[in-house]
Amino acid sequence: MKQRLVFTNLQIKVMLLFISLALAPLAIVGAFAIKTAEEIILNMVRNQIQHIAVDKATLLERWISERQADLKVIAGSSLLGSLNREQIAPFLELVRDQYKVYSEFIVIASDGRIIYDSTDNRHHPRTAEWFSNALAGKPYMSDIAFDAAQKESFFRISTPLLHASGGVQGAVCAKVGTNVILSIILRISLGETGECYLVNREGTFLAHKEPRRILTETIAQSESFKNIFNAGTHRITYIDYRGIEVIGASARVGGTDWALVVEQDKDEAFRGALRLKHYIFLVAAMSAGGALVLAWLLSYYIVNPIRKLSVAANCLARGEFAEASIETTRADEIGLLSNAFADMARQLESRQQKLEQRMVLTESELEETGEKLKETQQAAVRSQQLASLGQLASGVAHEIRTPLTSLKLFLESIENEITISPEYEEDFQVAMNQIRRMEATINRFLDFARPREPVYSWLEVGDLLEDALLIIGPRARLQETTIRKSLSPSLPKIKGDRKQLGEALLNLMVNALEAMPQRGRLTVAAHPGELPGTDGSRPCVVIDISDTGPGIQEENIGRLFEPFFTTKATGAGLGLSIVSSTVQRHGGEVMVRSAIGRGTTFSVFIPTEAEPAIGKNGKHTAS
């Protein structure tokens, strides 16, 4: 039933053809109408906002000019020219009471004497910017500031007081409150979201309908600021300081670095266009529904037989010959095609049955053959490795063992024939121990494919570590590596082969020194622990050998104990494999922890209650 409801590609194409013919004209007209409406609305709102911004900026500019003209008239009066406080004070008080916008007046003589100060602060204004500008004969207007006590924005203006001869004899400064003019400027009729605000060149709010933003917030990081102060083409719509897309315009206030900005949310401005879109979409949806029904009825008669034939072909491809059967009474070309398909299905079913009878090798036999082949390949790889090891061992025995034996005999003869001084005795013993170590390593390398059975005895872990540290001590001192040893006082004895375990620990210590060619710290620690296993945990001794080298890459840790795997420029890659085999023959395990740049720790777990198997030679002692 679900398959019958699935449209085929051809039916979809036929339906799309009819729908496109029916809806294309409507879509074109609707898109044109929407675009035209949006452009008309955008231009109307933009023009309205631009006019408001220009009008408000012109009003503010004219008001500021009037204040500057007022102050210039005040400065030109004979009362202020007299620099007489008794005459100046009543006059300026009268001006302040009449105009209602001046909250302070200050009159200063050119020598810095305060002639009149309505605030009675009596501060010295020689460093004030307005005073220096007035002495230079220039008028001055400050940025807008906010008076928290009066809860009002203000700015200061000043102008020079001139002698009759034209020279500067002082300055007059007025503090101008802006509540009256800004309440008029910020009040606009522009929908619910329309707003007007004043900013300076840095983008700081100088006036805003929300007083908390004044002089505390900025639009410097918003598109509003770029749209106002950038010299390029100004955008009509942009993202404002609230993160909302708006339609906006700005106008600079002449004589200042201020800009008056008027904005309205784009969503509110385009509500009319949005309603038009809804109506157009509703008509389009109704038209599309009608066209869809007509197109489906027309395409069903054309496409349905082909769809049935496609379903039958899929069934035939899956081997479902019964479902691939097609019955039709049509005599046209589609009917001929259906009959030919049914005949082909019958022939394919017959051939399929014959092929199944000829099959001899079943799937299970193929899987079994694959497993055997995989095992054979693994055995071949292992055999090749062991063969390479045999060849390498033969060469090592021939090239190294003979001269090493000669060197050992020579040193032994020297020891027997001459007396070695006490200061060289330790070095001589170290050299002999190294020769014996090399002999043991060669023998173990030769016996890698046929490892020898351990000769067990009770061992002190501290003695094993001391012997190994004695051998590596000279090398550690040579490369300025410090050795730190930490042994638990309650270490139990372990049962094992002293020679094999000593070689394994020495191998790990040498690897640690090689990881720190220049300086570093080698830490050797031993403490009681638990070795987890399938039958539960067993008591053991844990020996940790840590270095402060560069660490081991994570992808290499899992292969460290594989034969012939090495990350060194030289070496056969057998050291850690021999260590792992030796520890496993003693019933233990070797674990690795490493961090890049922080060093590596090899932990050797040797059971204290293990009962090692007695070797073929019967060697198993306890001492």
Side-chain angles (χ1 to χ4, degrees), residues 142-153:
S142 70
D143 282 334
I144 290 180
F146 187 78
D147 189 342
Q150 300 294 330
K151 296 182 180 180
E152 180 183 27
S153 299

Side-chain angles (χ1 to χ4, degrees), residues 60 142-146 153-155 178 182 198 206-207 214-215 258:
L60 181 58
S142 70
D143 282 334
I144 290 180
F146 187 78
S153 299
F154 69 93
F155 62 92
T178 62
L182 291 182
L198 185 68
L206 301 179
I214 298 175
L215 300 178
W258 305 343

Side-chain angles (χ1 to χ4, degrees), residues 7 10 53 81 116 278 283-284 292 354-355 365 567:
F7 291 132
L10 180 58
Y116 172 77
H278 291 164
V283 173
L292 183 64
K354 293 178 180 180
L355 287 174
E365 292 174 337
T567 58

Side-chain angles (χ1 to χ4, degrees), residues 377-391:
Q377 290 175 341
Q378 293 176 349
V381 172
R382 179 62 178 173
S383 298
Q384 185 178 2
Q385 290 179 341
L386 293 178
S388 300
L389 177 61
Q391 295 176 0

Side-chain angles (χ1 to χ4, degrees), residues 134-342:
L135 291 184
K138 297 183 295 184
Y140 169 83
M141 186 178 72
S142 70
D143 282 334
I144 290 180
F146 187 78
D147 189 342
Q150 300 294 330
K151 296 182 180 180
E152 180 183 27
S153 299
F154 69 93
F155 62 92
R156 295 183 183 277
I157 57 176
S158 67
T159 191
L161 292 175
L162 304 177
H163 288 292
S165 60
V168 178
Q169 64 173 343
V172 58
C173 174
K175 178 180 177 182
V176 184
T178 62
N179 276 358
V180 176
I181 187 64
L182 291 182
S183 65
I184 297 174
I185 291 175
L186 300 182
R187 186 170 61 248
I188 61 173
S189 298
L190 197 61
E192 298 176 358
T193 60
E195 66 172 353
C196 175
Y197 56 87
L198 185 68
V199 293
N200 61 14
R201 184 69 185 179
E202 288 73 32
T204 303
F205 287 109
L206 301 179
H208 194 277
K209 64 182 181 181
E210 299 176 17
R212 62 182 178 82
R213 297 183 184 270
I214 298 175
L215 300 178
T216 61
E217 295 185 14
T218 178
I219 64 170
Q221 302 301 321
S222 68
E223 291 185 13
S224 301
F225 182 81
K226 300 175 183 178
N227 204 52
I228 296 167
F229 293 101
N230 282 2
T233 303
H234 295 290
R235 298 175 55 185
I236 302 175
T237 62
Y238 51 87
I239 305 300
D240 71 350
Y241 63 93
R242 302 167 299 166
I244 299 175
E245 188 175 15
V246 297
I247 303 173
S250 62
R252 303 293 291 272
V253 180
T256 69
D257 63 345
W258 305 343
L260 196 69
V261 185
V262 180
E263 295 172 343
Q264 183 182 19
D265 290 1
K266 184 180 178 181
D267 290 342
E268 182 184 29
F270 277 76
R271 283 178 183 172
L274 184 61
R275 285 194 296 269
L276 179 60
K277 282 184 181 180
H278 291 164
Y279 294 144
I280 293 175
F281 289 156
L282 179 60
V283 173
M286 295 175 62
S287 301
L292 183 64
V293 173
L294 293 176
W296 186 85
L297 293 175
L298 183 60
S299 63
Y300 182 83
Y301 180 77
I302 299 174
V303 178
N304 188 54
I306 301 177
R307 180 175 59 80
K308 290 183 178 180
L309 189 61
S310 177
V311 173
N314 290 332
C315 294
L316 183 62
R318 296 193 298 268
E320 300 171 355
F321 297 101
E323 288 77 8
S325 176
I326 296 179
E327 296 181 0
T328 180
T329 58
R330 297 179 62 161
D332 55 8
E333 288 79 4
I334 294 179
L336 293 176
L337 180 61
S338 299
N339 292 330
F341 180 86

